[in-house]
Amino acid sequence: MGKIIALANQKGGVGKTTTAINLAASLATLEKKVLLIDADPQANASSGLGVDIQTVDCSIYECLIDGRDPREAIYTTDIEGLDVIASHINLVGAEIEMLNLDGRETVMKRLLAPFLDEYDYILIDCSPSLGLITVNALTAAHSVIIPVQCEYFALEGISKLLNTIKIIKSKLNPELGIEGFLLTMYDSRLRLSNQVLDEVRRHFQELVFDTVIQRNVRLSEAPSHGIPTILYDAESKGAQNYLALAQEIIRKNG
């Protein structure tokens, strides 16, 4: 049975979408069958995997709101074994449209249930908010990866996210666990980066991934070409870091 992992942090710019794209690509490179759900209205994970978001006629929005079959929304990518369900700017208003739905917190869980036997990993790239779509993602997920950038204010807002996870665990999804805290944008030359690294490891201990994602220009260049970093420059530090993260997750999940 597959595992659903949400990538969440209501703080923007922490490397969440970069992680979603490159972790998904790395897992697929390691011969896992992967489905990436882009649940962020900005649709950066979709375009970063080569989906032309202007021409998408069925996205996660139509599946959540109009009850469209999610199989119609699946796009294949340049990496064998990696599929994506794209996002759409309409997702911005979806939270208001979902307010009147029965079981509004569990819509995504019901959508993804049929795919659990078809994919090894289903990753959900959440938007930088703790709204209803993110609640849906966390209710559907078995675990959550929390990216934390190695910069000032890194831990700001994390207690709010942890509180949300705690509420969802108690009311909607008792299975939800923390897959791990992932340190991103790490620069070993900066004292601040090392301080944040030490602080997060001291605070969350074994919940922090051993793999650290270093600052790397290739990671920011690849999305403009519509491909993950592993196809753009497989030898780059960024590609290697995400490959190591994928291996760590596979090991952890036996």
Side-chain angles (χ1 to χ4, degrees):
M1 195 172 109
K3 182 168 195 179
I4 302 175
I5 303 176
L7 290 99
N9 191 333
Q10 77 274 27
K11 198 170 187 296
V14 297
K16 188 169 43 57
T17 298
T18 300
T19 297
I21 293 170
N22 290 293
L23 175 58
S26 298
L27 286 165
T29 303
L30 295 168
E31 300 183 342
K32 297 295 177 189
K33 194 102 172 58
V34 184
L35 177 63
L36 175 59
I37 313 288
D38 189 351
D40 184 344
Q42 295 174 67
N44 291 339
S46 308
S47 56
L49 285 171
V51 177
D52 179 359
I53 51 177
Q54 304 304 321
T55 61
V56 168
D57 64 333
C58 183
S59 68
I60 190 69
Y61 170 81
E62 282 78 17
C63 299
L64 290 170
I65 302 301
D66 302 332
R68 290 273 293 271
D69 183 349
R71 287 182 200 286
E72 293 175 40
I74 292 177
Y75 289 79
T76 54
T77 69
D78 290 338
I79 291 189
E80 193 184 342
L82 172 56
D83 296 335
V84 58
I85 291 183
S87 184
H88 194 278
I89 189 66
N90 287 351
L91 205 58
V92 167
E95 308 209 329
I96 294 164
E97 294 176 68
M98 288 171 77
L99 286 175
N100 297 323
L101 294 181
D102 284 337
R104 60 189 180 202
E105 296 91 356
T106 56
V107 181
M108 197 178 291
K109 184 174 187 159
R110 295 195 296 272
L111 275 185
L112 298 182
F115 295 121
L116 282 168
D117 294 330
E118 295 170 37
Y119 291 93
D120 298 305
Y121 291 96
I122 298 172
L123 303 183
I124 309 173
D125 183 28
C126 300
S127 66
S129 79
L130 292 177
L132 187 54
I133 302 285
T134 300
V135 168
N136 259 268
L138 294 173
T139 303
H142 298 110
S143 65
V144 55
I145 289 174
I146 303 169
V148 180
Q149 86 280 39
C150 292
E151 286 172 9
Y152 201 55
F153 295 136
L155 292 174
E156 199 180 66
I158 283 190
S159 59
K160 203 170 179 183
L161 174 61
L162 292 176
N163 197 38
T164 302
I165 290 170
K166 198 168 145 189
I167 291 166
I168 287 169
K169 209 174 149 73
S170 67
K171 293 195 165 32
L172 295 163
N173 180 8
E175 282 178 33
L176 185 64
I178 291 172
E179 190 73 25
F181 288 85
L182 176 68
L183 288 149
T184 61
M185 304 177 201
Y186 173 73
D187 186 339
S188 58
R189 299 165 302 178
L190 300 178
R191 202 170 81 204
L192 179 62
S193 266
N194 290 301
Q195 283 173 339
V196 172
L197 182 88
D198 293 342
E199 190 180 352
V200 173
R201 288 217 158 121
R202 192 178 68 247
H203 210 80
F204 298 110
Q205 296 165 358
E206 73 283 351
L207 286 177
V208 183
F209 286 111
D210 294 334
T211 307
V212 172
I213 310 300
Q214 289 160 288
R215 257 191 200 286
N216 180 247
V217 70
R218 291 290 190 254
L219 284 175
S220 34
E221 288 172 354
S224 64
H225 298 272
I227 51 175
T229 313
I230 203 160
L231 289 185
Y232 183 63
D233 182 355
E235 298 303 309
S236 67
K237 200 152 257 179
Q240 293 300 315
N241 287 165
Y242 278 110
L243 211 47
L245 176 66
Q247 287 165 332
E248 190 176 341
I249 287 172
I250 291 168
R251 267 200 317 276
K252 192 175 171 184
N253 287 289

